[in-house]
Amino acid sequence: MTENSQAQPAANPELPTQYAPAEVEGKLYERWVERGYFEADEKSGKPPYTIVIPPPNVTGSLHLGHAFEHTIIDALTRRKRMQGYETLWQPGMDHAGIATQNVVERELAKEGKSRHDLGREAFVERVWQWKEESGGQISGQMRRLGDGVAWSRERFTMDDGLSAAVQTIFKRLFDDGLIYRAERIINWCPRCLTAISDIEVEYQDDDGELVSIKYGDGDETLVVATTRAETMLGDTAVAVHPDDERYAHLVGRRIKLPLTDRTIPVVADTHVDPEFGTGAVKVTPAHDPNDFEIGRRHDLPNVTVMDERAVITTPGPFQGLDRYEARSAIVAALRAEGRIVAEKRPYVHSVGHCSRCKTTVEPRLSLQWWVKVETLAKEAGDAVRDGRVTIHPKEMESRYFAWIDNLNDWNISRQLWWGHRIPVWHGPNGETVCVGPNDEPPTGEGWHQDTDVLDTWFSSGLWPFSTLGWPEQTPSLEKFYPNSVLVTGYDILFFWVARMMMFGLYAMDGTPPFHTIALHGMVRDEHGKKMSKTFGNVVNPLDWMDKYGADAVRFTLARGANPGVDVPIGEDWVQGSRNFANKVWNATRFAMMNGATVEGPLPDAERMSATDRWILSRLNETVAQVDALYEDYQFAKLSDALFHFAWDEVFDWYVELSKTTFFAGGEQAGVSGRVLGEVLDVTLRLLHPIVPFVTETLWTTLTGKESVVVADWPADSGFRDPAAEREIEHLQQVVTEVRRFRADQGLQSGQKVPGRLDLAATPLAAHEAAIRQVLRLQAAGEGFHATATLPVAGATVELDLSGTIDVAAERKRLTKDRDAAEKEKQQAVAKLGNEAFLAKAPDNVVDKIRGRLSKAEADIERITAQLTALPES
């Protein structure tokens, strides 16, 4: 790779008149990849900077959430690369157990087949075939966005190396007594026929029914309410609070369970809220997590009444009915016996659904594999408490602790065929043998491998070190672990982040997987609404990239990226970012055509104009500001700082103020040309991590060097000139006020008018030509008649507007506007002076009227000034 500090053969300084993203982005990206800019070398002496990609599902495609997160990570890694770090952005994909199996099963269904028709081995082969042919389209989309990942290191959670890592840590945990098998209540999907994790359960408000049922008879009567009447067939107790005197006489007695020939006990348990409902709850330990815990405390039997497809299995009239059919039939039977005390329909309540197929999840008692998390979770909490890991923003720490300090044992088994199979063999006499990656499994009659596979989060929890070759002690692992920072959404703080923390600390001898956890929010639409297919507001970022370019999408997302805060985004904002990219292009092109250069050292400050010294002072201040904001992960603020510096200060002020110098030519033009070249060079490098494509094209053309990707990150030289900054601020005040007056008079921005400047009382005399240039003021020749005199910031500006506006018509228009403002003021004053009105009106209404009064007074003052400035008719 050529050292970027060495200038290449001079590039063609010609730039097209317009920037066309579609014509340059793809070619530039492939050039970057071919030159190896994104690869990482563990043998280099550079300090490491490591970030892993939150592995997208192999079934997925790029959505705005991906684009947002990838933009942040890419900006961080591009900057660190420019700062001289050996940067690794680790790419890869997750095998996505349930999602991928569902995709392939749907394909089989089109052929009239199921996975059982193929058998396990053939089905898994079919999934691998699908993965090779159709999976991973997101990789190509990442290239479209400009992701600077180390493609040669791309990993997949089911590849050989990661599978060995999964098997290794499973065996270590098993041998340490941290993995066990037990019956517990889990989230069960009757459609996918597997346990699913909490993260795979989506809750939504559904219309249901709440029925109150009378249990027992006479003095032994209790009323319980339920939304799942079908589960009453599995009730093994009714629970009340120990201090509830209403039911004290029933505690320890047995009452009749309706529709069955069973009696069940009444137990006292502090879990029951005596203030809620009747203060009595039915207890179904095999079908409710809270009831399961009550059952354990009171040694109640677990009665399972549904199979894996949520069909009733209890012998009797309801056997064979689907859960919803059984619900209706059971309520009807209870009603016939006079046991329905109350019914409420619809009863809106929160119901869990499988995130993959949207089926209502069924809490179900099931024999599963579990990780004992108590010691692992304590380590993960301590790593943040003792400062080994920093959570950013800090206020998210409390959410992390609330989760990690109360973590329940983790159900890691799934009843699927696609995934890492549990590395445990069961023997004919109940033997259990866990097998590591280098062990031979037991053989012989009656031995078989466990049929379950591991939760996808189990393998993705190893991602920060398994991708580096663990359990082998590889050079990559030594160089790049721990990761520098994890960038991810706060929504998976509890799931993926917690798993990585526990596994990293356990596997890597107490070294956490990353130094910093930088949490971002969710992308929402321009109204702040969650993006959802149901709402019809989902945006494909590829459509916006096709229309406006990748840089525009990236810049829009970065400008909304406040740490831990959701990001609203609309197409208008992307269009505005496209305009910014065009502004950078056009202004740079103009500057290069008018003498901007990077050749040679910067001139001494004594040779520079105040305008030159001002922009260099502002440039260094911006470098320092952007650096500080990067270190604080304040992407919205640093993007805004870059936007306003580039657009406002460089292009709208410095370039405009320097035009007279460039047009005049001579030594000063050369000085300003070198200053402008320096400013553009640094500005493009500052912008590059967020808008890489347009900056690459412009920077290489400006400098003739290889690539801005491997250029040096700008450093604050320390140059500051407060006097020059005050001088130009004074100039800006004069120009801004005159521009405002011109606009008020209805003059077009480019319209020239005769003007006379008196700058004697200001330090701006040397800037008269520049001020005239930006204000479009012609010389005050013969016949000049000052029709408007503006005292502005110590200067006096006289304008001759005769012939440019119809003074009589303008006076009439302004008088009408002032009369309207006076009327508005009178109405507001009258309302605010009405005590009866103020006593009754809401605060927001009163505040609104005060606002109207303030605006009316400001309008009157402004219009009066405009009328005063008009010449006599």
Side-chain angles (χ1 to χ4, degrees):
M1 188 185 303
T2 306
E3 287 295 325
N4 203 70
S5 59
Q6 298 176 0
Q8 305 303 298
N12 183 355
E14 294 294 327
L15 287 169
T17 55
Q18 290 185 323
Y19 176 54
E23 295 178 12
V24 301
E25 290 179 348
K27 295 175 184 176
L28 284 182
Y29 188 83
E30 290 309 311
R31 186 188 307 161
W32 293 335
V33 172
E34 288 168 6
R35 292 180 177 179
Y37 292 156
F38 305 141
E39 296 302 325
D41 181 6
E42 58 266 15
K43 297 177 183 178
S44 82
K46 299 177 182 178
Y49 186 80
T50 316
I51 296 182
V52 295
I53 189 175
N57 288 352
V58 67
T59 58
S61 60
L62 192 73
H63 57 63
L64 268 179
H66 288 126
F68 172 54
E69 185 168 80
H70 290 201
T71 295
I72 293 174
I73 299 175
D74 197 38
L76 287 171
T77 53
R78 284 178 182 269
R79 173 174 174 261
K80 285 296 182 180
R81 187 179 296 112
M82 296 171 75
Q83 287 182 314
Y85 286 78
E86 192 62 43
T87 302
L88 170 60
W89 182 9
Q90 174 66 54
M93 285 184 293
D94 192 287
H95 66 277
I98 294 178
T100 307
Q101 180 157 319
N102 280 348
V103 168
V104 178
E105 285 198 86
R106 284 196 293 270
E107 286 195 352
L108 285 174
K110 295 175 184 176
E111 302 169 14
K113 298 178 183 178
S114 73
R115 60 179 162 128
H116 300 285
D117 295 323
L118 272 65
R120 184 170 193 142
E121 186 175 339
F123 176 76
V124 171
E125 287 181 5
R126 179 71 177 261
V127 180
W128 276 108
Q129 179 185 344
W130 176 88
K131 187 260 180 187
E132 296 303 320
E133 294 175 355
S134 306
Q137 63 173 315
I138 200 168
S139 296
Q141 296 165 344
M142 288 165 59
R143 293 171 182 265
R144 284 286 312 279
L145 188 64
D147 286 3
V149 300
W151 286 112
S152 69
R153 294 172 175 262
E154 188 173 12
R155 303 303 298 269
F156 181 54
T157 50
M158 287 281 286
D159 67 29
D160 291 341
L162 270 67
S163 294
V166 167
Q167 205 170 344
T168 298
I169 200 163
F170 186 99
K171 181 167 174 57
R172 289 190 187 178
L173 290 163
F174 183 90
D175 291 347
D176 285 347
L178 296 176
I179 284 183
Y180 65 94
R181 200 180 189 210
E183 279 195 323
R184 297 283 189 273
I185 293 289
I186 46 86
N187 302 307
W188 182 265
C189 176
R191 157 62 184 79
C192 298
L193 299 180
T194 181
I196 59 176
S197 66
D198 292 338
I199 190 63
E200 292 162 329
V201 179
E202 293 179 348
Y203 287 90
Q204 66 184 49
D205 288 340
D206 286 357
D207 286 345
E209 60 180 353
L210 181 69
V211 292
S212 298
I213 308 169
K214 181 172 69 175
Y215 282 29
D217 295 296
D219 292 339
E220 298 181 345
T221 297
L222 284 168
V223 175
V224 301
T226 181
T227 59
R228 300 163 67 217
E230 67 279 7
T231 63
M232 69 162 291
L233 299 176
D235 286 358
T236 56
V238 172
V240 297
H241 194 275
D243 299 333
D244 195 334
E245 295 181 359
R246 294 172 296 175
Y247 305 120
H249 66 289
L250 291 177
V251 174
R253 298 171 67 175
R254 301 183 71 87
I255 61 175
K256 180 77 167 54
L257 177 65
L259 304 182
T260 73
D261 57 3
R262 292 194 288 124
T263 61
I264 56 177
V266 177
V267 299
D269 195 280
T270 54
H271 171 75
V272 180
D273 180 0
E275 303 299 323
F276 184 78
T278 63
V281 297
K282 60 192 287 299
V283 182
T284 321
H287 293 279
D288 183 273
N290 293 322
D291 293 2
F292 178 77
E293 295 302 324
I294 293 175
R296 291 177 69 177
R297 288 193 288 272
H298 298 278
D299 198 25
L300 300 174
N302 300 315
V303 178
T304 300
V305 299
M306 279 181 269
D307 65 13
E308 67 275 9
R309 298 183 184 277
V311 172
I312 301 297
T313 57
T314 304
F318 310 112
Q319 187 174 12
L321 295 180
D322 167 83
R323 55 182 165 169
Y324 301 115
E325 296 171 334
R327 183 178 300 172
S328 298
I330 287 171
V331 171
L334 290 168
R335 192 183 298 113
E337 289 191 4
R339 291 194 173 274
I340 299 296
V341 176
E343 298 179 66
K344 184 176 182 180
R345 295 188 187 88
Y347 179 72
V348 179
H349 61 133
S350 181
V351 177
H353 296 260
C354 173
S355 63
R356 303 300 176 191
C357 67
K358 310 309 176 187
T359 302
T360 299
V361 169
E362 192 65 41
R364 184 170 187 261
L365 186 65
S366 181
L367 181 63
Q368 302 281 345
W369 289 95
W370 304 81
V371 172
K372 191 180 296 183
V373 302
E374 182 179 2
T375 58
L376 299 174
K378 182 180 183 303
E379 284 293 320
D382 290 346
V384 175
R385 288 188 171 95
D386 63 26
R388 280 176 289 162
V389 178
T390 301
I391 293 180
H392 189 89
K394 189 172 178 60
E395 53 264 28
M396 286 286 180
E397 278 188 4
S398 59
R399 296 181 65 177
Y400 176 77
F401 292 135
W403 175 262
I404 207 77
D405 294 344
N406 298 283
L407 200 59
N408 296 319
D409 285 358
W410 172 20
N411 169 24
I412 56 171
S413 48
R414 298 292 179 265
Q415 290 64 54
L416 302 171
W417 287 357
W418 173 245
H420 295 103
R421 196 163 174 182
I422 302 280
V424 170
W425 268 252
H426 302 284
N429 299 311
E431 303 97 329
T432 299
V433 175
C434 183
V435 175
N438 299 316
D439 300 334
E440 289 294 327
T443 58
E445 186 176 350
W447 283 94
H448 65 280
Q449 187 176 359
D450 198 285
T451 57
D452 288 352
V453 301
L454 285 163
D455 176 15
T456 297
W457 295 104
F458 192 95
S459 53
S460 60
L462 312 180
W463 193 248
F465 51 94
S466 63
T467 52
L468 298 173
W470 187 92
E472 301 298 324
Q473 295 303 306
T474 65
S476 288
L477 188 66
E478 183 179 351
K479 176 81 172 181
F480 295 113
Y481 186 90
N483 293 182
S484 306
V485 62
L486 173 76
V487 177
T488 192
Y490 64 71
D491 55 317
I492 56 174
L493 171 65
F494 312 134
F495 304 102
W496 188 45
V497 178
R499 302 331 185 205
M500 287 189 290
M501 285 286 283
M502 291 191 295
F503 280 168
L505 290 159
Y506 174 79
M508 301 301 292
D509 300 321
T511 301
F514 19 73
H515 298 301
T516 301
I517 302 170
L519 298 171
H520 59 73
M522 310 294 290
V523 177
R524 297 180 177 271
D525 69 13
E526 64 263 46
H527 306 297
K529 196 171 185 179
K530 180 181 178 181
M531 288 192 174
S532 163
K533 291 179 181 178
T534 304
F535 300 146
N537 61 351
V538 173
V539 173
N540 183 348
L542 295 174
D543 293 340
W544 281 354
M545 282 191 268
D546 288 342
K547 196 169 182 181
Y548 303 110
D551 285 335
V553 174
R554 291 170 61 114
F555 195 65
T556 304
L557 291 165
R559 289 193 77 183
N562 289 298
V565 178
D566 288 347
V567 183
I569 183 172
E571 186 168 0
D572 287 351
W573 306 338
V574 184
Q575 189 172 357
S577 295
R578 188 270 314 273
N579 295 343
F580 175 65
N582 288 342
K583 180 79 170 182
V584 174
W585 179 273
N586 293 333
T588 304
R589 182 174 178 272
F590 170 85
M592 292 174 63
M593 292 170 61
N594 287 275
T597 180
V598 295
E599 296 296 324
L602 274 174
D604 293 336
E606 308 83 70
R607 297 175 57 201
M608 297 180 192
S609 67
T611 311
D612 294 333
R613 298 194 305 276
W614 163 74
I615 197 61
L616 288 175
S617 185
R618 293 296 307 128
L619 175 69
N620 280 287
E621 180 61 38
T622 301
V623 170
Q625 182 184 9
V626 168
D627 272 336
L629 291 170
Y630 259 115
E631 295 305 316
D632 200 33
Y633 303 98
Q634 296 280 0
F635 285 90
K637 290 182 179 178
L638 74 87
S639 298
D640 262 353
L642 287 170
F643 175 89
H644 290 297
F645 175 71
W647 190 306
D648 299 342
E649 296 186 290
V650 179
F651 303 141
D652 279 359
W653 283 107
Y654 182 71
V655 171
E656 287 297 316
L657 290 172
S658 300
K659 281 182 178 178
T660 53
T661 301
F662 291 136
F663 296 161
E667 180 182 352
Q668 193 56 50
V671 170
S672 293
R674 181 62 188 91
V675 170
L676 180 53
E678 181 75 9
V679 171
L680 290 175
D681 172 13
V682 173
T683 302
L684 291 171
R685 283 186 280 151
L686 288 174
L687 284 168
H688 172 73
I690 299 175
V691 284
F693 294 106
V694 68
T695 52
E696 172 79 339
T697 305
L698 294 172
W699 190 85
T700 53
T701 305
L702 172 70
T703 66
K705 294 180 181 179
E706 179 185 334
S707 174
V708 70
V709 177
V710 288
D712 291 335
W713 180 253
D716 176 7
S717 71
F719 178 84
R720 299 290 192 279
D721 192 327
E725 290 200 39
R726 289 192 297 271
E727 187 171 323
I728 300 305
E729 285 171 7
H730 197 162
L731 181 154
Q732 289 171 326
Q733 289 178 345
V734 172
V735 170
T736 300
E737 286 302 315
V738 176
R739 278 177 170 171
R740 182 178 294 122
F741 175 78
R742 285 174 54 106
D744 288 341
Q745 303 308 313
L747 296 178
Q748 298 298 314
S749 59
Q751 188 174 353
K752 294 184 177 181
V753 296
R756 181 183 292 137
L757 294 176
D758 182 358
L759 304 173
T762 75
L764 302 181
H767 299 282
E768 179 167 350
I771 293 172
R772 285 186 173 279
Q773 165 68 28
V774 297
L775 286 177
R776 305 297 187 265
L777 296 184
Q778 296 172 326
E782 280 189 42
F784 177 82
H785 175 59
T787 59
T789 302
L790 306 173
V792 181
T796 301
V797 182
E798 296 177 320
L799 302 176
D800 183 354
L801 301 181
S802 57
T804 59
I805 60 171
D806 184 333
V807 176
E810 186 64 13
R811 185 177 296 282
K812 184 177 180 181
R813 181 185 70 81
L814 289 172
T815 301
K816 183 179 179 181
D817 289 347
R818 187 172 63 178
D819 290 345
E822 290 280 8
K823 184 177 181 181
E824 177 75 5
K825 176 183 176 181
Q826 292 169 8
Q827 291 175 343
V829 168
K831 284 189 176 182
L832 293 173
N834 186 332
E835 294 296 334
F837 170 77
L838 293 176
K840 296 179 181 179
D843 289 345
N844 65 316
V845 173
V846 175
D847 288 342
K848 189 175 181 180
I849 293 171
R850 288 190 179 123
R852 285 167 50 191
L853 174 59
S854 178
K855 182 179 182 303
E857 289 174 338
D859 286 345
I860 292 167
E861 183 178 354
R862 174 180 56 81
I863 297 169
T864 300
Q866 291 175 236
L867 284 167
T868 303
L870 281 177
E872 294 299 324
S873 304

